[in-house]
């Protein structure tokens, strides 16, 4: 979402944070251009059929492609749909760089089952933990890290 990206850049500038790279690009399981609903702040999202095609097209790429030369120590994914696809696009990063993961899985039943299964399939040594960050079901987060 361009509005949120602009807010992020202003925040980084205002606080004087350094060593931060920003890209106005979405992450996904492949490099593509997809329909997107933007302008709803926290409700911005990938478009689906019921959204009538979205209001913009955005560029997406994989975490593996975007961060191939960077050290990656932590990946946080917290949105209702598409988390599994983002993890698919981070498979090399997860298996080679072994970042800690925090993935929202309380948005739907499928995520609660499919995401832990996928992580264990690609990185069997990862330890998995579930934690509620509040009393709302959507605040259920799967934490994962490379065990010894």
């Amino acid at each position: 979402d361009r509005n949120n990206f602009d807010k992020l850049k202003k925040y980084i500038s205002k606080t004087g944070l350094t060593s931060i790279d920003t890209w106005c690009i979405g992450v996904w399981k492949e490099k593509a251009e997809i329909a997107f609903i933007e302008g709803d702040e926290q409700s911005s999202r990938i478009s689906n059929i019921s959204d009538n095609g979205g209001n913009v097209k955005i560029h997406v790429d994989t975490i593996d492609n975007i961060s191939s030369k960077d050290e990656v120590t932590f990946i946080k994914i917290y949105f209702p749909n598409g988390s599994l696809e983002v993890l698919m696009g981070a498979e090399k990063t997860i298996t080679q760089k072994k970042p800690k993961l925090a993935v929202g899985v309380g948005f739907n039943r499928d995520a609660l089952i499919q995401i832990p299964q996928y992580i264990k399939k690609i990185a069997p040594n990862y330890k998995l933990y579930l934690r509620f960050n509040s009393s709302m079901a959507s605040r259920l987060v799967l934490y994962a890290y490379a065990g010894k």
Side-chain angles (χ1 to χ4, degrees):
D1 184 287
R2 287 177 290 198
N3 294 328
N4 288 333
F5 185 71
D6 289 342
K7 288 178 184 179
L8 172 65
K9 290 192 306 186
K10 287 176 186 172
Y11 176 80
I12 291 169
S13 176
K14 182 175 102 174
T15 57
L17 295 170
T18 59
S19 301
I20 296 175
D21 296 321
T22 59
W23 302 278
C24 192
I25 186 170
V27 287
W28 196 241
K29 63 182 175 181
E30 61 195 1
K31 186 173 187 162
E33 189 174 89
I34 59 176
F36 189 76
I37 304 291
E38 81 171 353
D40 286 337
E41 298 273 328
Q42 295 179 3
S43 298
S44 296
R45 64 199 177 277
I46 294 169
S47 177
N48 60 37
I49 294 169
S50 65
D51 293 325
N52 296 320
N55 61 356
V56 296
K57 296 277 188 188
I58 62 165
H59 295 284
V60 294
D61 204 345
T62 66
I63 288 175
D64 290 341
N65 288 340
I66 293 169
S67 66
S68 63
K69 296 178 180 144
D70 299 316
E71 179 182 359
V72 178
T73 59
F74 183 72
I75 296 173
K76 177 184 176 187
I77 305 168
Y78 194 78
F79 37 84
N81 297 303
S83 297
L84 181 59
E85 289 81 0
V86 172
L87 287 170
M88 289 174 174
E91 185 172 332
K92 275 188 202 172
T93 302
I94 293 167
T95 58
Q96 294 173 3
K97 299 177 182 181
K98 299 179 179 21
K100 293 175 182 165
L101 306 173
V103 184
V105 294
F107 296 107
N108 64 62
R109 278 186 301 223
D110 294 338
L112 182 57
I113 294 170
Q114 293 172 346
I115 289 172
Q117 287 177 335
Y118 182 74
I119 292 170
K120 288 305 260 185
K121 177 181 148 194
I122 65 167
N125 63 325
Y126 262 60
K127 305 290 184 196
L128 307 179
Y129 299 90
L130 288 171
R131 179 177 179 200
F132 274 109
N133 288 336
S134 80
S135 61
M136 296 172 51
S138 64
R139 302 283 194 230
L140 182 62
V141 177
L142 174 72
Y143 293 95
Y145 74 94
K148 294 182 171 113

